[in-house]
Structures are given as C-alpha cells and as structure tokens.
Amino acid sequence: MPAIASSKSYRVGRSKTGLGLFATMPIKKGTRIIRYFGPILDSRIPAHDEIENKYLFELNNRWTIDGSVRKNLARYINHSCRPNAESDVRPRERKVFIRAIKNIEPGDEINYDYGTDYFKAYLKPIGCKCPSCETKRKKLRAEARAERAKVKARTEAKAKKTGAKAGKKKLNGHAVGKKNGRARA
C-alpha cells in the first residue's frame, strides 16, 4: 500500500492559471497525496447528466464525481502536459486518489494530466497554460522572431543593393556616379 501524505503537505495558492495546489513538504514518488471526492452522479439520471461544472471527474461511462464541494481541495490541482502526479481511479469503489509520479519539492505546484477528452473540450480552444506548453510556445515565438529578423535583414540588404545600382546611371555607355545629389559627367 502506498504511503499517504499528511494534510499539512499541501496548500491552496495562487497559480499562473488561477488557484492551484502546492506542496509544503517534500512528497516522495508513489505517495498518495489527496483524495478527489464529492457527490457521486449517475449519468442515467437526466438531472445528473445535465450538471455542467469544471470540477466533474468521470469514473466511467456511468459514474461521475462532482468535485465542486468546497472541502474538496483536490479540485485545485491544475492540468499539466508533463505532470508530477496522476489520478488513481477506482470505479468499483467510486474513489479517485491523486498519487505522485515524481518526487515533489516544497513550493512545487501539484498537477496531473486531465486526459484527452477534457483537453480537447476545454483547454485546446484557449491554449494550454501548463509550464511545458508555455516553454514550447516561448521557443516557437523566439524562432518566429528570429526568422522575421532574418527576412527583414535580407530585404534591407536587397534594397540597399538595388539602391546602390539605382544610384549609378549610364551616360553614353559610361557609369555616372552621384555626388551631393548631382550627377557628374
């Protein structure tokens, strides 16, 4: 059985994406950090199937946990494409635990991958804000800036070259240079 982190090993704090759950003590790989809990919803009941909030955690096709309960601190765990934790779903027991898959240092934000369905529905339209995606976007922006600078330098060099050619005119087959804006013969 994996070790269970104490309730003092995490806190809710301000994150780049809103609120997040942060480690206050070192959490070892394999440790159960927190349980995701709330009322269990049955998708066969139309009233339950119509509930829309961002704290729903789907156990399977039938059962979903409504994690919008204020005591459920696990709802503050944000998505990351390169997470340090993962969800341990137990549909028969109707429980979800968040478990560390890396050693987490104090001050690190606890995060896990929300899954493809959630990502496509909610995160992709606005852009993923996780640190790995932000780093990737910064790199792409820097490459695009460098490419634009190269293109600009090429066009300026080309303009300068064509400008130098335009400055010399031929008079009776001989090149005539400009001096002080006047043509010399």
Side-chain angles (χ1 to χ4, degrees), residues 16-17 81 119 123-145:
K16 285 185 179 183
T17 57
C81 294
F119 186 86
L123 299 176
K124 195 171 185 179
I126 60 169
C128 182
K129 304 275 192 261
C130 77
S132 64
C133 288
E134 286 287 331
T135 304
K136 196 185 308 178
R137 271 196 296 279
K138 283 180 185 176
K139 183 179 176 186
L140 290 173
R141 284 193 301 263
E143 289 171 357
R145 275 194 306 273

Side-chain angles (χ1 to χ4, degrees), residues 71-91:
K71 287 185 179 183
N72 179 25
L73 296 182
R75 72 188 185 148
Y76 295 112
I77 300 175
N78 290 315
H79 164 81
S80 177
C81 294
R82 292 200 167 178
N84 56 15
E86 69 181 3
S87 56
D88 183 12
V89 182
R90 299 181 179 185

Side-chain angles (χ1 to χ4, degrees), residues 79 113-125:
H79 164 81
D113 189 349
Y114 284 1
T116 352
D117 295 339
Y118 189 92
F119 186 86
K120 286 179 182 175
Y122 298 102
L123 299 176
K124 195 171 185 179

Side-chain angles (χ1 to χ4, degrees), residues 8-165:
K8 304 266 189 225
S9 62
Y10 50 81
R11 67 172 177 79
V12 175
R14 183 68 47 201
S15 170
K16 285 185 179 183
T17 57
L19 292 176
L21 201 66
F22 292 85
T24 56
M25 303 172 151
I27 300 173
K28 291 186 178 183
K29 178 180 176 179
T31 304
R32 250 193 227 161
I33 301 170
I34 193 169
R35 180 174 167 214
Y36 196 97
F37 67 92
I40 305 293
L41 306 176
D42 187 347
S43 64
R44 294 185 306 179
I45 300 172
H48 287 181
D49 204 28
E50 292 173 9
I51 294 175
E52 269 297 316
N53 73 51
K54 60 184 178 179
Y55 300 116
L56 296 177
F57 197 112
E58 189 175 293
L59 296 171
N60 56 27
N61 292 340
R62 181 175 176 194
W63 301 107
T64 303
I65 297 174
D66 180 3
S68 61
V69 180
R70 301 233 351 129
K71 287 185 179 183
N72 179 25
L73 296 182
R75 72 188 185 148
Y76 295 112
I77 300 175
N78 290 315
H79 164 81
S80 177
C81 294
R82 292 200 167 178
N84 56 15
E86 69 181 3
S87 56
D88 183 12
V89 182
R90 299 181 179 185
R92 287 192 175 178
E93 299 171 25
R94 298 186 189 145
K95 291 182 181 179
V96 174
F97 294 98
I98 308 302
R99 183 171 35 95
I101 57 172
K102 296 178 183 175
N103 289 333
I104 303 171
E105 297 300 318
D108 288 353
E109 184 174 2
I110 300 167
N111 46 47
Y112 65 95
D113 189 349
Y114 284 1
T116 352
D117 295 339
Y118 189 92
F119 186 86
K120 286 179 182 175
Y122 298 102
L123 299 176
K124 195 171 185 179
I126 60 169
C128 182
K129 304 275 192 261
C130 77
S132 64
C133 288
E134 286 287 331
T135 304
K136 196 185 308 178
R137 271 196 296 279
K138 283 180 185 176
K139 183 179 176 186
L140 290 173
R141 284 193 301 263
E143 289 171 357
R145 275 194 306 273
E147 186 61 32
R148 284 193 305 271
K150 278 167 91 177
V151 169
K152 185 177 179 183
R154 270 191 245 131
T155 54
E156 286 175 353
K158 196 174 185 181
K160 190 175 180 181
K161 190 175 179 183
T162 57
K165 284 183 180 178

